[in-house]
Amino acid sequence: MDFTEILTAAGQTDLLKHLESLSGDARTQLERDIASQDWEELKKLHAEKSAANLSDNVSADLTPMPFKIAVDDLRYDFWKETGEILLGKGQVAAFLVAGGQGSRLGFDGPKGMFDIGLPSHKSLFQLQAERLQNLAAQVGHSIPWCIMTSPLNHEATVTFFRDNNFFGINREDIRFFEQGTICALTPEGKAVLDGDRLALVPDGNGGCFRALAQSGTLAWLVERGVQYVFLYSVDNALCRICDPAFIGALAADGRALSASKVVHKAGPQEKVGIFAFQNKKPGVVEYSDLPENYRDMTNADGSLTFDGGNIAIHLFKISGLRKLQTSRLPWHTARKTVCGIEKCWKFEQFLFDAFPQLGSMLPFGVVREEEFSPVKNAEGNDSPKTAREMIGALHREWLRKAHVEVNPKMLYEISPKISYAGEGLTRRLFERELGRNILEFEE
Ligand code: UTP
């Protein structure tokens, strides 16, 4: 690689000078960092973003995407059975995007290692692993699990899994891979240095399609005969991983290449993206990009017009993922202090920007209390405390529905090992498992 030529053409002569001042390991490291970046793209990005208004605000042609709560649909049981058959044939994989930095939570380590304070003290990773295993046992087939990390948390993630014996999952069924990074730029467009290295940050969860393909994981899935990939975020404590009904609904839809779970927004101010058609193409508009008049718009009955909240649970047909491996997603920008330099440019891609490129998509409405409890902040909204309360209340409701007499003042934690989504609970089981796989707690 001719660093002089590349860096000169990209206007990065300061970086070139710094590289030339180094020797030995430090030089090799920086060369490696430089080689990992697309300098032409970075130059173009800086020029475009500094010329444009920073806001990624949406255009005027925005219409809501209607959706129905799936469990109320007469076809729900049929979808569920179809999904179970597909899972049983090994045609479904789980794909966890866990390359984020979790800065709002303030936990020093991969977010999946975080213990949200349930009586069992299980980490988010363990809760997911157990749910996946339970489902795999029910359908009689293993479920491949792809886990995307970033260079910042890869080692720690893999070590955690290894130390926990992969939570009992067969090692061959899990595949870890790293997402890409992108260099932060100074306000003038120069590469930011972190000591003698480039200041590289993960390229956003939208980097997942590229990383899935480039790491060989997409080919690995194709080889295993996978047709549906369930993609989810690390921090939703209620995520129904590989939900059979969701899979069956997409399988039954002849047109859509993807499906997404949708909840009714808690209110206009809730910080979730919304599903909408923009210039007739389906997709998600991030809350920060949604103009206020759309955000607050109501229907004749007073309900919100743009009401379909994105909970970051998606399902892709493998043909959709193949299409996305080469497509280019837009870059979003943030101006932040990086390595002591104010107003640096940080770039990232969002995975929901893939939807307009796929054309038709299937919105699948779900009940928030059953499926959405994100752990974003250390305290307040969307925190470990709210997740504990939601899990505790939901599991108490599962028991109540199973005619188990419970203490209405207490909350319950039911291990995903004994119930995936509330099924199979009986009074006898409750009595046997209380204190073991069923734990009572107060919040
Ligand atoms: P968030 O948008 O909540 O970001 O990620 P975050 O980095 O986890 O948390 P904050 O904003 O710093 O507090 C949603 C999902 O996307 C993943 C996260 O790991 C999470 O599962 N993600 C985010 C990636 O995989 N890569 C990224 O570059 C960014």
Side-chain angles (χ1 to χ4, degrees):
M1 181 169 245
D2 186 341
F3 291 108
T4 310
E5 192 183 314
I6 292 170
L7 294 179
T8 310
Q12 298 290 348
T13 43
D14 290 355
L15 176 59
L16 182 62
K17 264 191 226 147
H18 191 80
L19 178 70
E20 283 166 351
S21 73
L22 298 176
S23 59
D25 279 355
R27 186 178 179 117
T28 315
Q29 290 275 24
L30 184 57
E31 281 179 352
R32 214 174 282 151
D33 286 354
I34 295 170
S36 74
Q37 299 296 295
D38 182 342
W39 292 97
E40 227 173 282
E41 170 96 349
L42 274 166
K43 186 177 172 185
K44 225 169 62 199
L45 258 178
H46 180 257
E48 272 170 25
K49 295 290 181 183
S50 27
N53 180 344
L54 223 200
S55 149
D56 296 312
N57 255 355
V58 298
S59 73
D61 181 13
L62 200 68
T63 51
M65 188 184 296
F67 68 98
K68 290 207 178 98
I69 297 297
V71 74
D72 298 336
D73 195 297
L74 285 176
R75 293 165 296 180
Y76 187 83
D77 288 343
F78 161 70
W79 290 336
K80 185 164 172 278
E81 281 160 29
T82 307
E84 283 164 356
I85 292 169
L86 294 169
L87 281 153
K89 287 183 177 169
Q91 291 189 11
V92 185
F95 180 7
L96 165 62
V97 289
Q101 290 171 286
S103 42
R104 281 170 287 173
L105 185 62
F107 171 62
D108 185 25
K111 218 183 198 183
M113 285 169 52
F114 188 69
D115 162 12
I116 62 171
L118 287 168
S120 69
H121 291 291
K122 286 176 187 168
S123 62
L124 289 165
F125 282 144
Q126 182 167 358
L127 293 172
Q128 294 166 24
E130 290 182 354
R131 217 162 191 195
L132 208 53
Q133 268 170 307
N134 183 329
L135 184 61
Q138 287 191 39
V139 298
H141 203 291
S142 61
I143 302 171
W145 195 10
C146 311
I147 301 178
M148 184 178 84
T149 62
S150 87
L152 306 182
N153 68 14
H154 186 81
E155 238 0 87
T157 303
V158 178
T159 304
F160 185 71
F161 271 80
R162 200 177 298 123
D163 289 349
N164 285 283
N165 198 21
F166 300 92
F167 304 103
I169 295 179
N170 210 330
R171 179 67 188 89
E172 288 90 73
D173 293 328
I174 308 185
R175 204 170 148 122
F176 299 93
F177 60 96
E178 290 180 31
Q179 70 175 101
T181 53
I182 185 159
C183 185
L185 300 178
T186 67
E188 298 76 34
K190 306 289 173 212
V192 180
L193 278 172
D194 184 1
D196 284 335
R197 304 279 310 258
L198 282 182
L200 297 176
V201 280
D203 56 10
N205 56 25
C208 69
F209 305 109
R210 198 165 40 239
L212 186 76
Q214 289 179 3
S215 62
T217 310
L218 184 56
W220 179 72
L221 293 174
V222 170
E223 246 169 62
R224 292 179 66 131
V226 168
Q227 296 290 338
Y228 299 90
V229 177
F230 179 96
L231 195 162
Y232 70 104
S233 296
V234 69
D235 50 20
N236 178 4
L238 287 181
C239 183
R240 257 187 216 181
I241 301 172
C242 293
D243 177 3
F246 187 40
I247 294 156
L250 181 61
D253 185 304
R255 272 177 356 124
L257 290 181
S258 73
S260 294
K261 290 205 171 180
V262 192
V263 294
H264 288 293
K265 263 183 84 170
Q269 305 287 349
E270 191 187 12
K271 290 185 173 173
V272 290
I274 50 103
F275 286 94
F277 293 96
Q278 202 176 338
N279 300 323
K280 313 234 164 1
K281 287 192 173 164
V284 172
V285 179
E286 192 52 329
Y287 63 88
S288 48
D289 298 331
L290 186 66
E292 271 177 36
N293 54 327
Y294 286 115
R295 190 194 65 193
D296 300 336
M297 197 181 281
T298 50
N299 303 317
D301 65 358
S303 59
L304 275 183
T305 305
F306 290 91
D307 176 40
N310 173 26
I311 59 169
I313 297 179
H314 312 290
L315 181 67
F316 292 89
K317 286 189 181 154
I318 205 91
S319 51
L321 292 175
R322 289 170 92 150
K323 207 168 152 185
L324 291 172
Q325 64 175 316
T326 48
S327 66
R328 294 170 83 84
L329 300 186
W331 288 97
H332 296 255
T333 38
R335 311 268 332 238
K336 298 224 167 115
T337 301
V338 180
C339 299
I341 307 172
E342 280 177 18
K343 291 198 177 160
C344 283
W345 297 89
K346 280 176 88 175
F347 305 104
E348 63 176 335
Q349 291 177 321
F350 296 158
L351 70 89
F352 58 63
D353 282 328
F355 298 126
Q357 307 205 8
L358 289 183
S360 169
M361 64 185 288
L362 175 74
F364 185 93
V366 297
V367 179
R368 171 189 297 269
E369 288 72 21
E370 293 179 351
E371 306 206 27
F372 186 47
S373 184
V375 183
K376 298 284 181 196
N377 310 307
E379 275 163 16
N381 281 347
D382 298 343
S383 65
K385 182 172 165 55
T386 56
R388 287 194 300 272
E389 284 166 355
M390 285 186 78
I391 291 177
L394 176 66
H395 291 190
R396 185 180 58 203
E397 183 60 13
W398 287 354
L399 290 166
R400 204 192 53 77
K401 278 193 182 148
H403 308 290
V404 178
E405 230 174 83
V406 290
N407 182 340
K409 291 207 181 99
M410 298 301 277
L411 298 172
Y412 291 84
E413 179 192 359
I414 300 177
S415 167
K417 281 185 185 164
I418 61 164
S419 189
Y420 169 82
E423 76 291 349
L425 300 171
T426 58
R427 212 171 53 162
R428 215 150 152 206
L429 183 99
F430 177 75
E431 278 159 14
R432 197 183 70 209
E433 294 293 347
L434 191 64
R436 296 195 303 201
N437 281 311
I438 300 179
L439 304 170
E440 204 177 48
F441 66 107
E442 260 175 316
E443 193 51 51

